[in-house]
Amino acid sequence: MKKSLTVIISACMASTLLSAAAQGAASPKSSVDFNDLGQLDAGTKAKFDTMIAAGIFDGVSEGVFGLHDKMNRAQFAKAAAMIFNLKVDTSSSTSSFSDVSAADPANGYALPYIEALKKANLTDGFGEGTYNPAGEVTKEQLAAFLIRGLNKEAEVKPDAATNDSTVSSWAKGYVALAVQMNLMGNQTDGKFGGMTPAIRELLVTSSYEAKRLYVPVTPAVAELPVEEMKAYNLTENTQAQVKSVTQEKSADGWRVGVVLTLTNTSGSTNRIPDYELRIQTGEGTVYTLQASASNTRSIPPQGNVTLSYMADIGVNKDVQLTNLLWVDVDQKVYPKVERVLANATISSIIWRGQDAKIDDPSRLGSWGARFSLPGIHSDLKYSAVKLSKQFTGQTPSYIVEIQAENVGSYAETIPDFTLSGKSEGQSFIGKRVEETPIRLDAGAKKSIHFAITTDTNTTLEAFYVLSPESFLKQGQTVPVQYFTGRLGFRLPANEGNVSGTATGSYVFGTPIAFTPRNDFINPNLNISLEELHVTDNEETGNKTGVAKFKLFNKSDKPIPVPAFGAELAGKDGNAYAGKRQTVSAADIAPGTGIVVSYGFTLPTTEQSEQFQLNVQEVLSNSAYKSTIASYPVNVQSENDHNNIWLFPFKLNLKSWTLSQLTAMGTTGFAYTYKLSLDMDMQRESEVVLDSAFSKLKFELVDASGRSLGSNSFPFTGANRLVNGSQMLTFSNLTQDQIQSHVSVKVYETIPTPSGDVDRLIAELK
């Protein structure tokens, strides 16, 4: 057998799969359609439901999944192609392998999928020119496939230390990494069992984990050309380069700004050479620029400095600037003698401020194109990776995430720059959200964000990359501020409405996968969504959504509670921001978890049964947020009073009796209701309750639907709800007489900084 399989396969699909036409005609299957899946625990069953609903797995016969059956390599090829979203040519009838044929009645259906695996370099077959479609798949072969399919082969350590004799020597590195990534696990005896056949149960669960972690390889994107900054010799040891030229309209004509970089090539400090900087028009008119009062006077050895110049041109017509001149003027002789030290052509780099428009396609890239900042000597590369549209008031702001990468050998600090949003006839200058300096080590990557606020009905065409410049006039204390640029990139095709970081439906209780390189969520903190309910509120005329997250500290040190945001987006694209529960705890102790809830107010017209859940990072204590995880999440079915899931509690309101009491007081009769409640309450032990955790609110409602009064009871502290029998008292009622046919509505109440959020969970009649 060939031991260096590029991917030795394994996982899932029986040859009895329904045809595409039959699947399209039938409703989606789930684990309830198979008799042998009924005993699975809830977490495993949810994984099976996801993979079955996606069409990746089906049964071996009607009503039978074949949980412990083995699977051959042909069956797996089809599942593998679907797990990793491979391009499959279903019309293909010719195979690269001699033992694979479309005419094979047992395995011929797999030919297009086997070819897709080969084209994706996920398999080179079983032996010389063969694939062995009927062959079994072992556990270690499955581990090798999963690691290679996830593009993690570079992380495999061939010399992985393991004394497990059940794993072949060639597979030890793959198995070790697969176990480390929680794709697969060891047997109860502590051994992996690498040479034993993989059964379908393992194939489903490991394929689910692989699909959840799979990140498609992004095709190489274009890189905007790095602009060559020509150097002009002013003296033997001093060179000048033109960083930027800006020409903007002013009240009296034009304002021209020029920024230069001067470099000292010697080993000692040089003073700035004496010269006049002049700018020339196409008609031959020459204007002299003034040096900024803040310009330095010298250049350090082997170093460089940036100098700023400006001139006001009082001409109310278009002025075409063409050249920049460095002129040495000898004032000691009469008449004075002028000598041109250097002459730079600048017509192609002039920036026209608010009126600037990049028409050169080489300087306007597509979304995601890598670029360098013009006029700056740096090994930092940048690319746009995410775009969102947010409202912090009545006007929209575009939040652009830029990934910066240090491709050099030395650490660098990201220089000051910003983005502008360009629309027809308008430019909107943005600002960087992160205000503190960001330093990147060699090879490091970091995300920075820019907020561009536009008018309400603005349609943006592109984002321009701008550098801030300043000029200080002689005798002034406040400099003139302006921006200059030369390149930009277009918006993504869908204006940033990205589906998110995950593609499959979320399985409740599983750790959320966050975008790489985010510093907001501690890697030792597992965050999982435990509940998502949406209920009607007849009294208020809207719907209430409640999402509950479990935050579990798997480290040996306390971890601060991250204040992330949560948003639900419906099928029509409407997004609803969650109100975060008031959280008293500052840290999460090692080995424990807490619950953080979010309340959502939705209109009654929102009929979505599935929402896109966006988990968001709050950017630098600002009003802006960036999505760091996104999943399609199905709304959970409503509870009945015998089965109320209120994480981390499971409640069973077994029985209740409502009694009415009347007493004579000093001012008349006083009416009191008492609810005798027998409640079974189970709780997940590893979750610590915050003092601001949800309460249960019991509301008395008369036969006409009017509220008579309510009372709330916590799960912690004084007057808390307990397991077993308890008596709940209601006084200070709104009615002055005893009512008949009174029912009790039970709400979960979540305290938030902007008020309580109530979710109806049961009605006791």
Side-chain angles (χ1 to χ4, degrees):
M1 175 180 176
K2 187 173 182 180
K3 301 297 184 184
S4 60
L5 297 172
T6 304
V7 166
I8 317 187
I9 335 201
S10 78
C12 89
M13 213 168 235
S15 57
T16 57
L17 286 178
L18 298 175
S19 68
Q23 287 181 352
S27 59
K29 287 188 175 181
S30 68
S31 57
V32 299
D33 294 302
F34 301 101
N35 301 326
D36 52 345
L37 299 184
Q39 301 304 312
L40 296 176
D41 61 80
T44 304
K45 187 176 293 185
K47 296 177 182 181
F48 271 71
D49 286 339
T50 299
M51 302 302 276
I52 293 170
I56 298 175
F57 291 87
D58 203 340
V60 296
S61 61
E62 185 65 30
V64 178
F65 187 84
L67 195 63
H68 301 290
D69 288 7
K70 302 170 187 177
M71 182 169 291
N72 67 33
R73 290 160 54 87
Q75 294 166 357
F76 171 68
K78 185 171 184 177
M82 298 180 71
I83 291 169
F84 297 115
N85 298 323
L86 301 183
K87 184 177 181 179
V88 178
D89 180 5
T90 55
S91 64
S92 177
S93 59
T94 303
S95 175
S96 304
F97 302 104
S98 60
D99 58 347
V100 176
S101 170
D104 181 351
N107 303 310
Y109 70 92
L111 187 152
Y113 304 99
I114 295 172
E115 289 303 303
L117 293 184
K118 187 174 188 305
K119 288 180 181 179
N121 294 318
L122 293 183
T123 182
D124 55 5
F126 181 82
E128 192 65 35
T130 63
Y131 179 77
N132 189 24
E136 293 179 349
V137 179
T138 65
K139 289 180 63 179
E140 62 188 23
Q141 291 169 356
L142 174 59
F145 161 75
L146 296 175
I147 295 302
R148 289 191 173 109
L150 289 170
N151 302 305
K152 295 289 185 181
E153 190 164 18
E155 300 177 25
V156 172
K157 298 177 180 178
D159 57 348
T162 176
N163 297 320
D164 192 342
S165 60
T166 68
V167 179
S168 302
S169 57
W170 68 270
K172 291 183 183 296
Y174 294 101
V175 168
L177 186 56
V179 172
Q180 177 186 331
M181 295 176 64
N182 294 320
L183 299 173
M184 306 171 72
N186 290 323
Q187 303 170 148
T188 55
D189 61 0
K191 301 291 185 180
F192 184 76
M195 302 178 197
T196 59
I199 61 173
R200 286 168 58 85
E201 179 179 13
L202 174 64
L203 298 171
V204 174
T205 56
S206 60
S207 296
Y208 169 84
E209 295 298 333
K211 189 168 181 63
R212 187 174 66 85
L213 296 174
Y214 176 62
V215 178
V217 177
T218 303
V221 297
E223 183 166 344
L224 295 179
V226 178
E227 189 175 76
E228 292 290 339
M229 290 179 61
K230 183 177 179 180
Y232 300 89
N233 293 319
L234 303 184
T235 69
E236 181 180 356
N237 299 315
T238 306
Q239 293 180 335
Q241 293 174 298
V242 183
K243 180 186 176 186
S244 66
V245 178
T246 301
Q247 179 185 356
E248 290 188 282
K249 291 179 181 178
S250 66
D252 300 320
W254 300 93
R255 184 181 68 186
V256 177
V258 175
V259 180
L260 304 177
T261 299
L262 263 59
T263 302
N264 178 4
T265 61
S266 73
S268 59
T269 300
N270 280 353
R271 74 179 186 86
I272 302 297
D274 290 327
Y275 58 77
E276 284 188 7
L277 190 65
R278 301 174 182 175
I279 200 155
Q280 181 176 308
T281 71
E283 298 174 344
T285 306
V286 176
Y287 300 93
T288 301
L289 295 108
Q290 302 300 313
S292 172
S294 60
N295 282 356
T296 185
R297 305 296 183 183
S298 61
I299 316 173
Q302 300 295 317
N304 57 71
V305 296
T306 300
L307 306 177
S308 180
Y309 299 82
M310 186 168 284
D312 289 316
I313 301 176
V315 176
N316 289 317
K317 65 175 184 178
D318 193 19
V319 174
Q320 300 295 327
L321 304 177
T322 58
N323 293 80
L324 192 64
L325 309 173
W326 289 265
V327 182
D328 177 35
V329 181
D330 187 353
Q331 301 280 4
K332 297 178 181 179
V333 298
Y334 182 82
K336 64 182 180 182
V337 177
E338 297 184 353
R339 179 170 60 93
V340 176
L341 301 176
N343 184 338
T345 302
I346 59 170
S347 56
S348 63
I349 64 171
I350 295 173
W351 186 253
R352 293 186 172 265
Q354 288 284 331
D355 295 330
K357 185 173 183 179
I358 300 175
D359 294 317
D360 184 349
S362 67
R363 293 184 179 177
L364 186 63
S366 298
W367 177 265
R370 290 218 307 179
F371 61 88
S372 302
L373 296 181
I376 295 179
H377 299 277
S378 172
D379 286 317
L380 298 181
K381 299 286 187 179
Y382 308 89
S383 58
V385 295
K386 193 183 299 179
L387 175 65
S388 64
K389 191 175 182 180
Q390 302 174 23
F391 285 82
T392 55
Q394 297 300 313
T395 54
S397 292
Y398 289 83
I399 310 302
V400 183
E401 181 178 333
I402 299 288
Q403 180 179 275
E405 179 181 6
N406 187 349
V407 299
S409 302
Y410 302 94
E412 285 194 52
T413 298
I414 296 176
D416 189 15
F417 74 98
T418 191
L419 301 179
S420 72
K422 181 66 176 176
S423 68
E424 184 64 36
Q426 283 184 294
S427 293
F428 301 89
I429 306 295
K431 68 174 184 177
R432 196 165 102 181
V433 178
E434 292 83 6
E435 297 179 348
T436 56
I438 297 177
R439 189 168 178 81
L440 286 184
D441 293 330
K445 297 179 180 179
K446 184 75 175 180
S447 288
I448 53 178
H449 301 83
F450 297 88
I452 301 98
T453 300
T454 68
D455 294 336
T456 303
N457 297 318
T458 298
T459 300
L460 293 183
E461 301 171 349
F463 293 107
Y464 290 169
V465 181
L466 303 182
S467 296
E469 306 292 359
S470 66
F471 175 85
L472 182 61
K473 291 183 178 181
Q474 298 295 332
Q476 301 291 320
T477 57
V478 179
V480 176
Q481 305 282 354
Y482 64 99
F483 293 91
T484 185
R486 287 205 287 280
L487 56 83
F489 50 88
R490 302 177 187 87
L491 276 70
N494 57 359
E495 205 177 78
N497 295 318
V498 184
S499 60
T501 57
T503 54
S505 294
Y506 179 76
V507 176
F508 287 93
T510 59
I512 292 173
F514 295 98
T515 53
R517 293 177 297 280
N518 93 82
D519 296 328
F520 191 71
I521 303 297
N522 190 304
N524 288 312
L525 191 65
N526 274 354
I527 298 180
S528 57
L529 179 67
E530 302 293 333
E531 288 185 40
L532 177 62
H533 293 282
V534 176
T535 57
D536 288 309
N537 283 339
E538 296 179 0
E539 294 85 356
T540 57
N542 59 18
K543 292 185 176 182
T544 298
V546 171
K548 285 192 175 183
F549 294 86
K550 174 184 174 183
L551 285 64
F552 182 79
N553 181 357
K554 58 183 181 180
S555 73
D556 58 356
K557 293 181 175 61
I559 295 178
V561 179
F564 57 85
E567 178 185 75
L568 292 179
K571 61 183 179 181
D572 295 328
N574 298 322
Y576 312 98
K579 295 179 180 178
R580 188 173 188 264
Q581 164 198 338
T582 302
V583 179
S584 301
D587 299 298
I588 306 172
T592 63
I594 68 168
V595 179
V596 178
S597 301
Y598 291 77
F600 304 84
T601 300
L602 296 78
T604 55
T605 54
E606 179 59 73
Q607 300 297 319
S608 299
E609 294 296 328
Q610 183 185 76
F611 290 87
Q612 191 78 19
L613 172 69
N614 299 317
V615 181
Q616 300 169 320
E617 171 188 358
V618 180
L619 299 175
S620 301
N621 298 317
S622 71
Y624 304 115
K625 299 174 183 178
S626 174
T627 298
I628 53 177
S630 185
Y631 287 90
V633 180
N634 295 319
V635 176
Q636 294 171 313
S637 59
E638 287 306 305
N639 305 301
D640 59 45
H641 66 269
N642 293 126
N643 184 25
I644 299 174
W645 184 237
L646 197 150
F647 187 83
F649 293 98
K650 187 175 182 180
L651 308 179
N652 178 5
L653 308 183
K654 296 194 296 183
S655 63
W656 61 89
T657 302
L658 185 65
S659 58
Q660 308 168 340
L661 302 177
T662 305
M664 175 63 74
T666 57
T667 60
F669 289 102
Y671 302 97
T672 301
Y673 286 83
K674 289 185 178 293
L675 178 65
S676 177
L677 177 66
D678 185 11
M679 179 171 64
D680 182 28
M681 183 166 61
Q682 301 177 23
R683 172 183 168 185
E684 186 172 319
S685 59
E686 65 180 14
V687 175
V688 177
L689 291 188
D690 187 274
S691 60
F693 183 72
S694 304
K695 298 179 181 180
L696 282 191
K697 183 173 80 172
F698 295 81
E699 181 185 33
L700 303 183
V701 181
D702 68 12
S704 300
R706 290 173 297 187
S707 176
L708 304 178
S710 65
N711 205 349
S712 295
F713 301 89
F715 287 89
T716 61
N719 203 28
R720 68 182 181 273
L721 296 166
V722 296
N723 185 43
S725 298
Q726 50 226 294
M727 184 70 70
L728 309 181
T729 302
F730 302 83
S731 55
N732 300 320
L733 303 180
T734 60
Q735 300 292 322
D736 58 359
Q737 61 183 3
I738 289 294
Q739 301 287 319
S740 59
H741 304 293
V742 175
S743 61
V744 181
K745 288 187 175 181
V746 185
Y747 297 88
E748 176 189 7
T749 299
I750 300 171
T752 75
S754 56
D756 291 345
V757 175
D758 292 337
R759 176 176 74 93
L760 179 65
I761 58 175
E763 187 167 4
L764 312 180
K765 296 183 178 181

